[in-house]
Amino acid sequence: MTDARDDGPLGVLPGQAIAAMIARGSLRGAPEVTRAQIQPASLDLRLGKTAYRVRASFLPGKTATVAERLAEFGMHEVSLEGGAVLEKGCVYLVPLMESLSLEPGLTAVANAKSSTGRLDLLTRLVTDRGVEFDRVPAGYAGPLYAEICPRSFSVLVRPGMRLNQLRFRRGQAVLDDGALRALHAEVPLVDGEAVISEGLGFSVDLRPEQGTLVGYRAKPHTGIIDLDRIGAYPAAEFWERIETAEGRIILDPGAFYILVSREAVTIPPMYAAEMAPYLALVGEFRVHYAGFFDPGFGHAEAGGAGSRGVLEVRCHEAPFVLEHGQVVGRLVYERMAERPERLYGAEIASNYQGQGLKLAKHFRT
């Protein structure tokens, strides 16, 4: 097993290296971290027993701990034991069951899990003395917190639920455009022309091969979603179908959409990827926050044979016309420090391998 210290190979740490971190005590849990939390290139993080309703989202800043700022911004405390509702439009801070003592050569980055993003459940990692969300600097030692803001639906949560995940990196191993073109020539990363510019561009599919259904828009007034209930909720009670025969739709300001990429994407076993905005100047909409793609996603070896990316889209200030084939995001590929022992979709429960247009696992269509 490769050691995860600063003299090892550069890249994203695979699951077996995360397990080694747990064995060394640089990654701890109370209760202990379980094998089920370890993904091919990330670790699922668990909610603790308490949520704190806060007046506003905040970062601690370089000189303060989260607990110190919580004393300033906290409103009231909510026990999650037995289940508690996090209300739409409110901001909560939840201490996580995991804590870190990172070795000098390692940094970490967090992101919402796929189902979290598809519920429009904004979830970001916060650390003591943090100046950025979702980023953990080398050498960090301390607790971890999740900031949670339900945007479209109120949700019922319990201790131990996993809404976000943490990926560990040694150094930087992002593929530049030349390396990405070479990899695409070796193993096609998309099933069509590759648009490569600071990552692999992907576009929106608004001309489906069959029918006119191109996406879903969250309804503004719905019931509560219990995050433990899989396939329990009729989609029609929470989502409006978006259909078009014209290859275009108009995004409404403030609305949240589930769409799908035109391209089928592949992540080879020795690589991981992260979703990023395509062009910051296109500011009328944003592809949402669940952005990790594990090694093996869409890869034939792991039963994928190309999987399309689900796009979680929110429109901002003005109505915006979205056209079929418009580039809306990019995948930034990184090398793995070593090949994962398990791939996405192979020997693990992977809800979205081989996916097309698909809502979160809690809904039935």
Side-chain angles (χ1 to χ4, degrees):
M1 184 177 295
T2 299
D3 197 294
R5 302 181 193 280
D6 57 2
D7 57 352
L10 300 182
V12 175
L13 298 194
Q16 63 267 27
I18 295 173
M21 291 177 62
I22 297 168
R24 289 196 303 274
S26 58
L27 170 56
R28 297 179 296 275
E32 293 184 358
V33 179
T34 68
R35 180 173 175 80
Q37 292 174 245
I38 302 175
Q39 304 301 324
S42 62
L43 178 82
D44 291 348
L45 301 173
R46 300 168 296 176
L47 300 182
K49 297 179 180 180
T50 305
Y52 297 92
R53 171 82 164 86
V54 294
R55 286 187 284 152
S57 173
F58 67 87
L59 284 165
K62 292 182 179 180
T63 61
T65 66
V66 173
E68 289 167 346
R69 301 307 298 274
L70 191 57
E72 182 180 354
F73 295 114
M75 295 174 64
H76 61 266
E77 183 177 324
V78 180
S79 172
L80 302 187
E81 295 189 272
V85 174
L86 304 186
E87 299 281 355
K88 172 183 171 181
C90 297
V91 183
Y92 301 87
L93 197 69
V94 181
L96 297 172
M97 293 180 176
E98 288 72 34
S99 61
L100 293 177
S101 182
L102 279 184
E103 290 133 355
L106 293 182
T107 60
V109 59
N111 218 314
K113 290 176 63 64
S114 294
S115 293
T116 307
R118 295 182 200 201
L119 290 172
D120 198 19
L121 187 56
L122 176 61
T123 303
R124 301 187 288 192
L125 188 76
V126 186
T127 62
D128 285 346
R129 299 174 181 84
V131 295
E132 293 181 284
F133 292 110
D134 289 333
R135 297 294 184 269
V136 186
Y140 176 78
L144 302 173
Y145 300 82
E147 180 198 89
I148 303 170
C149 179
R151 304 289 301 277
S152 290
F153 312 113
S154 296
V155 295
L156 181 67
V157 301
R158 300 175 183 85
M161 283 185 170
R162 297 177 278 173
L163 302 188
N164 61 341
Q165 54 196 166
L166 197 59
R167 183 173 280 181
F168 300 92
R169 293 179 171 126
R170 186 187 300 106
Q172 289 294 327
V174 173
L175 273 63
D176 61 21
D177 289 350
L180 198 56
R181 291 188 186 95
L183 179 61
H184 177 66
E186 177 185 346
V187 181
L189 303 178
V190 291
D191 59 348
E193 180 183 357
V195 177
I196 295 176
S197 177
E198 298 183 0
L200 178 69
F202 56 87
S203 61
V204 63
D205 184 6
L206 297 178
R207 292 190 183 276
E209 292 183 2
Q210 297 181 342
T212 57
L213 177 67
V214 296
Y216 298 89
R217 178 169 51 206
K219 291 186 174 181
H221 308 292
T222 68
I224 294 167
I225 297 172
D226 183 337
L227 298 187
D228 272 340
R229 299 187 65 195
I230 308 304
Y233 299 99
E237 294 182 7
F238 294 83
W239 299 93
E240 176 186 348
R241 290 165 59 96
I242 303 298
E243 304 196 42
T244 181
E246 302 174 347
R248 71 169 64 93
I249 60 174
I250 297 177
L251 303 177
D252 292 325
F256 178 74
Y257 298 82
I258 296 293
L259 306 172
V260 70
S261 72
R262 185 175 59 163
E263 299 82 7
V265 177
T266 294
I267 313 295
M270 273 300 294
Y271 298 86
E274 185 172 356
M275 189 181 294
Y278 183 68
L279 184 62
L281 295 177
V282 182
E284 295 300 336
F285 66 92
R286 154 147 195 179
V287 175
H288 208 50
Y289 306 96
F292 284 165
F293 288 71
D294 271 327
F297 179 87
H299 191 63
E301 182 180 334
S307 293
R308 294 203 283 171
V310 167
L311 310 176
E312 300 131 4
V313 177
R314 179 175 296 282
C315 184
H316 295 319
E317 291 83 3
F320 187 81
V321 177
L322 195 60
E323 307 268 2
H324 175 72
Q326 184 169 346
V327 177
V328 294
R330 58 195 170 97
L331 286 180
V332 177
Y333 280 71
E334 296 181 81
R335 294 181 180 85
M336 297 294 298
E338 60 179 300
R339 183 185 169 103
E341 291 178 352
R342 298 186 301 163
L343 299 177
Y344 185 92
E347 301 178 5
I348 61 174
S350 304
N351 290 292
Y352 304 117
Q353 183 71 298
Q355 70 183 354
L357 177 64
K358 187 175 177 67
L359 294 171
K361 60 188 177 182
H362 307 86
F363 303 105
R364 60 178 187 270
T365 54

